[in-house]
Amino acid sequence: EAGVAQSPRYKIIEKRQSVAFWCNPISGHATLYWYQQILGQGPKLLIQFQNNGVVDDSQLPKDRFSAERLKGVDSTLKIQPAKLEDSAVYLCASSRTTSAEDTQYFGPGTRLTVL
Amino acid sequence: SQQGEEDPQALSIQEGENATMNCSYKTSINNLQWYRQNSGRGLVHLILIRSNEREKHSGRLRVTLDTSKKSSSLLITASRAADTASYFCATGRALTFGSGTRLQVQP
């Protein structure tokens, strides 16, 4: 089966610009996650969707970050305006359900550099 | 703060040797998972151990869990150069990761 797809793989922007990332989860996976991974650290959850509803967005900086999963399939994560500290790899993951025992499958990530 | 913390932060061994990584966590858990991340790639799930399990094996991997000490260990036996990666433990429904152990296996 196809894995989690993400695009673009790399993005370089100036601070205060906007950027959007796209994720297509594994077919049939109801749960989708966005993580931020800063260099040298483990991934940090930004937002979790169950179908097209938000389950957890407690760590999403809502003043500048937004995410949607309108049809319960693919998802976009947007940053507007970007700050230098947003430089990181943004990882998308999906799982069949929200169960803590369901394996999460990760995409290759989008590496964002904010200059 | 992150739930799990791996130790050591970095580990360098020769091919064929065993590698042991440890993870400590702070709150009670239902299960703990280990993931691997190759440089520039996404994470790959390795193994899940439930809170009522003490040890689990998968191929060359052996994971132990001590809930009384809130710690887990990952042992990779007979390491290979391809095992070079960062290894993370994670807990919770929406995974909370530590900072990882960077393993370098020298050929």
Side-chain angles (χ1 to χ4, degrees), chain B residues 32-58:
Chain B
L32 183 143
Q33 303 186 49
W34 284 90
Y35 281 77
R36 182 188 74 221
Q37 184 176 36
N38 291 85
S39 181
R41 307 281 291 274
L43 284 81
V44 174
H45 181 260
L46 294 177
I47 196 165
L48 178 151
I49 185 166
R50 295 182 178 85
S51 59
N52 62 352
E53 297 175 311
R54 291 297 167 258
E55 188 171 309
K56 200 164 183 179
H57 296 253
S58 177

PDB file of all heavy atoms in Angstrom, chain B residues 32-58:
ATOM      1  N   LEU B  32       4.107   1.753  25.585  1.00  0.00           N
ATOM      2  CA  LEU B  32       5.254   2.555  25.178  1.00  0.00           C
ATOM      3  C   LEU B  32       5.714   2.024  23.830  1.00  0.00           C
ATOM      4  O   LEU B  32       5.708   0.807  23.596  1.00  0.00           O
ATOM      5  CB  LEU B  32       6.368   2.450  26.215  1.00  0.00           C
ATOM      6  CG  LEU B  32       7.628   3.300  25.987  1.00  0.00           C
ATOM      7  CD1 LEU B  32       8.161   3.830  27.315  1.00  0.00           C
ATOM      8  CD2 LEU B  32       8.696   2.516  25.250  1.00  0.00           C
ATOM      9  N   GLN B  33       6.078   2.924  22.960  1.00  0.00           N
ATOM     10  CA  GLN B  33       6.488   2.534  21.618  1.00  0.00           C
ATOM     11  C   GLN B  33       7.897   3.026  21.329  1.00  0.00           C
ATOM     12  O   GLN B  33       8.334   4.047  21.871  1.00  0.00           O
ATOM     13  CB  GLN B  33       5.513   3.121  20.573  1.00  0.00           C
ATOM     14  CG  GLN B  33       4.072   2.713  20.804  1.00  0.00           C
ATOM     15  CD  GLN B  33       3.147   3.176  19.707  1.00  0.00           C
ATOM     16  OE1 GLN B  33       3.419   2.986  18.530  1.00  0.00           O
ATOM     17  NE2 GLN B  33       2.033   3.792  20.085  1.00  0.00           N
ATOM     18  N   TRP B  34       8.579   2.316  20.484  1.00  0.00           N
ATOM     19  CA  TRP B  34       9.893   2.724  19.995  1.00  0.00           C
ATOM     20  C   TRP B  34       9.800   2.945  18.488  1.00  0.00           C
ATOM     21  O   TRP B  34       9.197   2.147  17.770  1.00  0.00           O
ATOM     22  CB  TRP B  34      10.950   1.665  20.296  1.00  0.00           C
ATOM     23  CG  TRP B  34      11.381   1.651  21.735  1.00  0.00           C
ATOM     24  CD1 TRP B  34      10.839   0.917  22.763  1.00  0.00           C
ATOM     25  CD2 TRP B  34      12.454   2.399  22.316  1.00  0.00           C
ATOM     26  NE1 TRP B  34      11.504   1.169  23.937  1.00  0.00           N
ATOM     27  CE2 TRP B  34      12.504   2.071  23.694  1.00  0.00           C
ATOM     28  CE3 TRP B  34      13.378   3.313  21.814  1.00  0.00           C
ATOM     29  CZ2 TRP B  34      13.442   2.627  24.553  1.00  0.00           C
ATOM     30  CZ3 TRP B  34      14.307   3.853  22.678  1.00  0.00           C
ATOM     31  CH2 TRP B  34      14.334   3.510  24.035  1.00  0.00           C
ATOM     32  N   TYR B  35      10.436   4.048  18.042  1.00  0.00           N
ATOM     33  CA  TYR B  35      10.485   4.397  16.628  1.00  0.00           C
ATOM     34  C   TYR B  35      11.930   4.619  16.219  1.00  0.00           C
ATOM     35  O   TYR B  35      12.784   4.988  17.033  1.00  0.00           O
ATOM     36  CB  TYR B  35       9.697   5.686  16.354  1.00  0.00           C
ATOM     37  CG  TYR B  35       8.202   5.519  16.266  1.00  0.00           C
ATOM     38  CD1 TYR B  35       7.431   5.374  17.405  1.00  0.00           C
ATOM     39  CD2 TYR B  35       7.569   5.503  15.026  1.00  0.00           C
ATOM     40  CE1 TYR B  35       6.057   5.225  17.325  1.00  0.00           C
ATOM     41  CE2 TYR B  35       6.199   5.360  14.925  1.00  0.00           C
ATOM     42  CZ  TYR B  35       5.450   5.219  16.075  1.00  0.00           C
ATOM     43  OH  TYR B  35       4.095   5.065  15.977  1.00  0.00           O
ATOM     44  N   ARG B  36      12.186   4.438  14.948  1.00  0.00           N
ATOM     45  CA  ARG B  36      13.500   4.702  14.364  1.00  0.00           C
ATOM     46  C   ARG B  36      13.345   5.784  13.305  1.00  0.00           C
ATOM     47  O   ARG B  36      12.350   5.823  12.574  1.00  0.00           O
ATOM     48  CB  ARG B  36      14.067   3.439  13.708  1.00  0.00           C
ATOM     49  CG  ARG B  36      15.465   3.613  13.120  1.00  0.00           C
ATOM     50  CD  ARG B  36      15.878   2.390  12.335  1.00  0.00           C
ATOM     51  NE  ARG B  36      15.181   2.301  11.069  1.00  0.00           N
ATOM     52  CZ  ARG B  36      14.705   1.180  10.557  1.00  0.00           C
ATOM     53  NH1 ARG B  36      14.823   0.033  11.203  1.00  0.00           N
ATOM     54  NH2 ARG B  36      14.092   1.188   9.398  1.00  0.00           N
ATOM     55  N   GLN B  37      14.349   6.659  13.215  1.00  0.00           N
ATOM     56  CA  GLN B  37      14.342   7.695  12.195  1.00  0.00           C
ATOM     57  C   GLN B  37      15.709   7.752  11.543  1.00  0.00           C
ATOM     58  O   GLN B  37      16.701   8.110  12.168  1.00  0.00           O
ATOM     59  CB  GLN B  37      14.001   9.064  12.795  1.00  0.00           C
ATOM     60  CG  GLN B  37      13.875  10.169  11.747  1.00  0.00           C
ATOM     61  CD  GLN B  37      13.442  11.486  12.351  1.00  0.00           C
ATOM     62  OE1 GLN B  37      13.829  11.835  13.471  1.00  0.00           O
ATOM     63  NE2 GLN B  37      12.612  12.231  11.623  1.00  0.00           N
ATOM     64  N   ASN B  38      15.745   7.377  10.279  1.00  0.00           N
ATOM     65  CA  ASN B  38      16.967   7.523   9.512  1.00  0.00           C
ATOM     66  C   ASN B  38      17.123   8.994   9.123  1.00  0.00           C
ATOM     67  O   ASN B  38      16.137   9.707   8.991  1.00  0.00           O
ATOM     68  CB  ASN B  38      16.932   6.638   8.276  1.00  0.00           C
ATOM     69  CG  ASN B  38      17.001   5.167   8.647  1.00  0.00           C
ATOM     70  OD1 ASN B  38      15.978   4.550   8.942  1.00  0.00           O
ATOM     71  ND2 ASN B  38      18.188   4.629   8.669  1.00  0.00           N
ATOM     72  N   SER B  39      18.359   9.398   8.910  1.00  0.00           N
ATOM     73  CA  SER B  39      18.652  10.797   8.639  1.00  0.00           C
ATOM     74  C   SER B  39      17.820  11.320   7.469  1.00  0.00           C
ATOM     75  O   SER B  39      17.819  10.734   6.382  1.00  0.00           O
ATOM     76  CB  SER B  39      20.144  10.957   8.327  1.00  0.00           C
ATOM     77  OG  SER B  39      20.449  12.310   8.074  1.00  0.00           O
ATOM     78  N   GLY B  40      17.099  12.406   7.701  1.00  0.00           N
ATOM     79  CA  GLY B  40      16.327  13.029   6.639  1.00  0.00           C
ATOM     80  C   GLY B  40      15.071  12.287   6.247  1.00  0.00           C
ATOM     81  O   GLY B  40      14.469  12.599   5.218  1.00  0.00           O
ATOM     82  N   ARG B  41      14.670  11.317   7.058  1.00  0.00           N
ATOM     83  CA  ARG B  41      13.481  10.524   6.716  1.00  0.00           C
ATOM     84  C   ARG B  41      12.433  10.618   7.814  1.00  0.00           C
ATOM     85  O   ARG B  41      12.677  11.169   8.890  1.00  0.00           O
ATOM     86  CB  ARG B  41      13.887   9.056   6.524  1.00  0.00           C
ATOM     87  CG  ARG B  41      15.023   8.848   5.551  1.00  0.00           C
ATOM     88  CD  ARG B  41      14.562   8.919   4.107  1.00  0.00           C
ATOM     89  NE  ARG B  41      13.729   7.795   3.763  1.00  0.00           N
ATOM     90  CZ  ARG B  41      14.189   6.628   3.351  1.00  0.00           C
ATOM     91  NH1 ARG B  41      15.484   6.428   3.259  1.00  0.00           N
ATOM     92  NH2 ARG B  41      13.355   5.657   3.022  1.00  0.00           N
ATOM     93  N   GLY B  42      11.270  10.061   7.542  1.00  0.00           N
ATOM     94  CA  GLY B  42      10.224   9.995   8.565  1.00  0.00           C
ATOM     95  C   GLY B  42      10.499   8.894   9.566  1.00  0.00           C
ATOM     96  O   GLY B  42      11.475   8.161   9.450  1.00  0.00           O
ATOM     97  N   LEU B  43       9.656   8.798  10.559  1.00  0.00           N
ATOM     98  CA  LEU B  43       9.835   7.791  11.600  1.00  0.00           C
ATOM     99  C   LEU B  43       9.200   6.470  11.195  1.00  0.00           C
ATOM    100  O   LEU B  43       8.161   6.446  10.536  1.00  0.00           O
ATOM    101  CB  LEU B  43       9.218   8.263  12.914  1.00  0.00           C
ATOM    102  CG  LEU B  43      10.013   9.309  13.679  1.00  0.00           C
ATOM    103  CD1 LEU B  43       9.775  10.692  13.121  1.00  0.00           C
ATOM    104  CD2 LEU B  43       9.662   9.266  15.161  1.00  0.00           C
ATOM    105  N   VAL B  44       9.803   5.395  11.643  1.00  0.00           N
ATOM    106  CA  VAL B  44       9.297   4.051  11.383  1.00  0.00           C
ATOM    107  C   VAL B  44       9.039   3.360  12.711  1.00  0.00           C
ATOM    108  O   VAL B  44       9.909   3.342  13.591  1.00  0.00           O
ATOM    109  CB  VAL B  44      10.306   3.233  10.548  1.00  0.00           C
ATOM    110  CG1 VAL B  44       9.825   1.795  10.403  1.00  0.00           C
ATOM    111  CG2 VAL B  44      10.508   3.877   9.187  1.00  0.00           C
ATOM    112  N   HIS B  45       7.843   2.816  12.856  1.00  0.00           N
ATOM    113  CA  HIS B  45       7.481   2.125  14.085  1.00  0.00           C
ATOM    114  C   HIS B  45       8.262   0.819  14.205  1.00  0.00           C
ATOM    115  O   HIS B  45       8.355   0.047  13.248  1.00  0.00           O
ATOM    116  CB  HIS B  45       5.981   1.824  14.066  1.00  0.00           C
ATOM    117  CG  HIS B  45       5.491   1.126  15.286  1.00  0.00           C
ATOM    118  ND1 HIS B  45       5.277  -0.235  15.330  1.00  0.00           N
ATOM    119  CD2 HIS B  45       5.189   1.588  16.520  1.00  0.00           C
ATOM    120  CE1 HIS B  45       4.850  -0.578  16.530  1.00  0.00           C
ATOM    121  NE2 HIS B  45       4.786   0.515  17.266  1.00  0.00           N
ATOM    122  N   LEU B  46       8.826   0.591  15.383  1.00  0.00           N
ATOM    123  CA  LEU B  46       9.594  -0.632  15.619  1.00  0.00           C
ATOM    124  C   LEU B  46       8.809  -1.631  16.450  1.00  0.00           C
ATOM    125  O   LEU B  46       8.676  -2.800  16.072  1.00  0.00           O
ATOM    126  CB  LEU B  46      10.905  -0.304  16.341  1.00  0.00           C
ATOM    127  CG  LEU B  46      11.931   0.526  15.559  1.00  0.00           C
ATOM    128  CD1 LEU B  46      13.133   0.824  16.434  1.00  0.00           C
ATOM    129  CD2 LEU B  46      12.345  -0.192  14.280  1.00  0.00           C
ATOM    130  N   ILE B  47       8.334  -1.202  17.594  1.00  0.00           N
ATOM    131  CA  ILE B  47       7.722  -2.151  18.520  1.00  0.00           C
ATOM    132  C   ILE B  47       6.887  -1.402  19.552  1.00  0.00           C
ATOM    133  O   ILE B  47       7.187  -0.257  19.903  1.00  0.00           O
ATOM    134  CB  ILE B  47       8.831  -2.991  19.194  1.00  0.00           C
ATOM    135  CG1 ILE B  47       8.276  -4.241  19.860  1.00  0.00           C
ATOM    136  CG2 ILE B  47       9.659  -2.143  20.147  1.00  0.00           C
ATOM    137  CD1 ILE B  47       9.359  -5.255  20.221  1.00  0.00           C
ATOM    138  N   LEU B  48       5.838  -2.039  20.014  1.00  0.00           N
ATOM    139  CA  LEU B  48       4.985  -1.514  21.075  1.00  0.00           C
ATOM    140  C   LEU B  48       4.973  -2.513  22.218  1.00  0.00           C
ATOM    141  O   LEU B  48       4.827  -3.714  21.988  1.00  0.00           O
ATOM    142  CB  LEU B  48       3.564  -1.296  20.549  1.00  0.00           C
ATOM    143  CG  LEU B  48       2.486  -0.789  21.517  1.00  0.00           C
ATOM    144  CD1 LEU B  48       1.438   0.017  20.756  1.00  0.00           C
ATOM    145  CD2 LEU B  48       1.812  -1.922  22.283  1.00  0.00           C
ATOM    146  N   ILE B  49       5.127  -2.020  23.430  1.00  0.00           N
ATOM    147  CA  ILE B  49       5.039  -2.880  24.606  1.00  0.00           C
ATOM    148  C   ILE B  49       3.970  -2.310  25.522  1.00  0.00           C
ATOM    149  O   ILE B  49       3.927  -1.103  25.777  1.00  0.00           O
ATOM    150  CB  ILE B  49       6.415  -3.005  25.315  1.00  0.00           C
ATOM    151  CG1 ILE B  49       6.328  -4.012  26.459  1.00  0.00           C
ATOM    152  CG2 ILE B  49       6.946  -1.654  25.789  1.00  0.00           C
ATOM    153  CD1 ILE B  49       7.699  -4.454  26.981  1.00  0.00           C
ATOM    154  N   ARG B  50       3.076  -3.179  25.976  1.00  0.00           N
ATOM    155  CA  ARG B  50       1.981  -2.749  26.827  1.00  0.00           C
ATOM    156  C   ARG B  50       2.447  -2.665  28.284  1.00  0.00           C
ATOM    157  O   ARG B  50       3.427  -3.293  28.676  1.00  0.00           O
ATOM    158  CB  ARG B  50       0.799  -3.711  26.690  1.00  0.00           C
ATOM    159  CG  ARG B  50       0.181  -3.715  25.301  1.00  0.00           C
ATOM    160  CD  ARG B  50      -1.020  -4.641  25.220  1.00  0.00           C
ATOM    161  NE  ARG B  50      -1.641  -4.599  23.897  1.00  0.00           N
ATOM    162  CZ  ARG B  50      -1.252  -5.324  22.871  1.00  0.00           C
ATOM    163  NH1 ARG B  50      -0.249  -6.168  23.009  1.00  0.00           N
ATOM    164  NH2 ARG B  50      -1.867  -5.215  21.714  1.00  0.00           N
ATOM    165  N   SER B  51       1.672  -1.947  29.079  1.00  0.00           N
ATOM    166  CA  SER B  51       2.075  -1.728  30.471  1.00  0.00           C
ATOM    167  C   SER B  51       2.078  -3.007  31.292  1.00  0.00           C
ATOM    168  O   SER B  51       2.755  -3.083  32.320  1.00  0.00           O
ATOM    169  CB  SER B  51       1.153  -0.703  31.132  1.00  0.00           C
ATOM    170  OG  SER B  51      -0.181  -1.145  31.093  1.00  0.00           O
ATOM    171  N   ASN B  52       1.341  -4.031  30.842  1.00  0.00           N
ATOM    172  CA  ASN B  52       1.322  -5.296  31.586  1.00  0.00           C
ATOM    173  C   ASN B  52       2.343  -6.301  31.057  1.00  0.00           C
ATOM    174  O   ASN B  52       2.367  -7.451  31.478  1.00  0.00           O
ATOM    175  CB  ASN B  52      -0.073  -5.921  31.570  1.00  0.00           C
ATOM    176  CG  ASN B  52      -0.539  -6.268  30.175  1.00  0.00           C
ATOM    177  OD1 ASN B  52       0.113  -5.918  29.195  1.00  0.00           O
ATOM    178  ND2 ASN B  52      -1.663  -6.955  30.075  1.00  0.00           N
ATOM    179  N   GLU B  53       3.174  -5.852  30.122  1.00  0.00           N
ATOM    180  CA  GLU B  53       4.239  -6.700  29.589  1.00  0.00           C
ATOM    181  C   GLU B  53       5.573  -6.246  30.148  1.00  0.00           C
ATOM    182  O   GLU B  53       5.792  -5.053  30.383  1.00  0.00           O
ATOM    183  CB  GLU B  53       4.259  -6.643  28.054  1.00  0.00           C
ATOM    184  CG  GLU B  53       2.981  -7.176  27.412  1.00  0.00           C
ATOM    185  CD  GLU B  53       2.973  -7.001  25.902  1.00  0.00           C
ATOM    186  OE1 GLU B  53       3.273  -5.886  25.430  1.00  0.00           O
ATOM    187  OE2 GLU B  53       2.655  -7.986  25.203  1.00  0.00           O
ATOM    188  N   ARG B  54       6.476  -7.169  30.321  1.00  0.00           N
ATOM    189  CA  ARG B  54       7.803  -6.841  30.865  1.00  0.00           C
ATOM    190  C   ARG B  54       8.882  -6.913  29.803  1.00  0.00           C
ATOM    191  O   ARG B  54       9.911  -6.234  29.889  1.00  0.00           O
ATOM    192  CB  ARG B  54       8.145  -7.788  32.010  1.00  0.00           C
ATOM    193  CG  ARG B  54       7.299  -7.557  33.234  1.00  0.00           C
ATOM    194  CD  ARG B  54       7.530  -6.162  33.814  1.00  0.00           C
ATOM    195  NE  ARG B  54       6.515  -5.826  34.804  1.00  0.00           N
ATOM    196  CZ  ARG B  54       5.492  -5.022  34.543  1.00  0.00           C
ATOM    197  NH1 ARG B  54       5.339  -4.490  33.352  1.00  0.00           N
ATOM    198  NH2 ARG B  54       4.624  -4.747  35.500  1.00  0.00           N
ATOM    199  N   GLU B  55       8.648  -7.745  28.774  1.00  0.00           N
ATOM    200  CA  GLU B  55       9.653  -7.915  27.739  1.00  0.00           C
ATOM    201  C   GLU B  55       8.968  -8.313  26.449  1.00  0.00           C
ATOM    202  O   GLU B  55       7.954  -9.021  26.466  1.00  0.00           O
ATOM    203  CB  GLU B  55      10.653  -8.997  28.166  1.00  0.00           C
ATOM    204  CG  GLU B  55      11.852  -9.146  27.267  1.00  0.00           C
ATOM    205  CD  GLU B  55      12.895 -10.084  27.867  1.00  0.00           C
ATOM    206  OE1 GLU B  55      13.266  -9.872  29.041  1.00  0.00           O
ATOM    207  OE2 GLU B  55      13.314 -11.022  27.169  1.00  0.00           O
ATOM    208  N   LYS B  56       9.538  -7.836  25.345  1.00  0.00           N
ATOM    209  CA  LYS B  56       8.988  -8.176  24.047  1.00  0.00           C
ATOM    210  C   LYS B  56      10.115  -8.255  23.037  1.00  0.00           C
ATOM    211  O   LYS B  56      11.084  -7.498  23.110  1.00  0.00           O
ATOM    212  CB  LYS B  56       7.958  -7.131  23.616  1.00  0.00           C
ATOM    213  CG  LYS B  56       6.994  -7.595  22.553  1.00  0.00           C
ATOM    214  CD  LYS B  56       5.792  -6.676  22.475  1.00  0.00           C
ATOM    215  CE  LYS B  56       4.794  -7.174  21.465  1.00  0.00           C
ATOM    216  NZ  LYS B  56       3.607  -6.296  21.394  1.00  0.00           N
ATOM    217  N   HIS B  57       9.990  -9.195  22.103  1.00  0.00           N
ATOM    218  CA  HIS B  57      11.028  -9.394  21.100  1.00  0.00           C
ATOM    219  C   HIS B  57      10.436  -9.201  19.710  1.00  0.00           C
ATOM    220  O   HIS B  57       9.275  -9.530  19.457  1.00  0.00           O
ATOM    221  CB  HIS B  57      11.595 -10.813  21.197  1.00  0.00           C
ATOM    222  CG  HIS B  57      12.287 -11.101  22.484  1.00  0.00           C
ATOM    223  ND1 HIS B  57      13.653 -11.199  22.586  1.00  0.00           N
ATOM    224  CD2 HIS B  57      11.795 -11.303  23.735  1.00  0.00           C
ATOM    225  CE1 HIS B  57      13.978 -11.469  23.857  1.00  0.00           C
ATOM    226  NE2 HIS B  57      12.877 -11.546  24.557  1.00  0.00           N
ATOM    227  N   SER B  58      11.299  -8.687  18.817  1.00  0.00           N
ATOM    228  CA  SER B  58      10.933  -8.608  17.411  1.00  0.00           C
ATOM    229  C   SER B  58      12.217  -8.674  16.612  1.00  0.00           C
ATOM    230  O   SER B  58      12.966  -7.701  16.539  1.00  0.00           O
ATOM    231  CB  SER B  58      10.184  -7.310  17.110  1.00  0.00           C
ATOM    232  OG  SER B  58       9.899  -7.204  15.719  1.00  0.00           O
TER     233      SER B  58
END
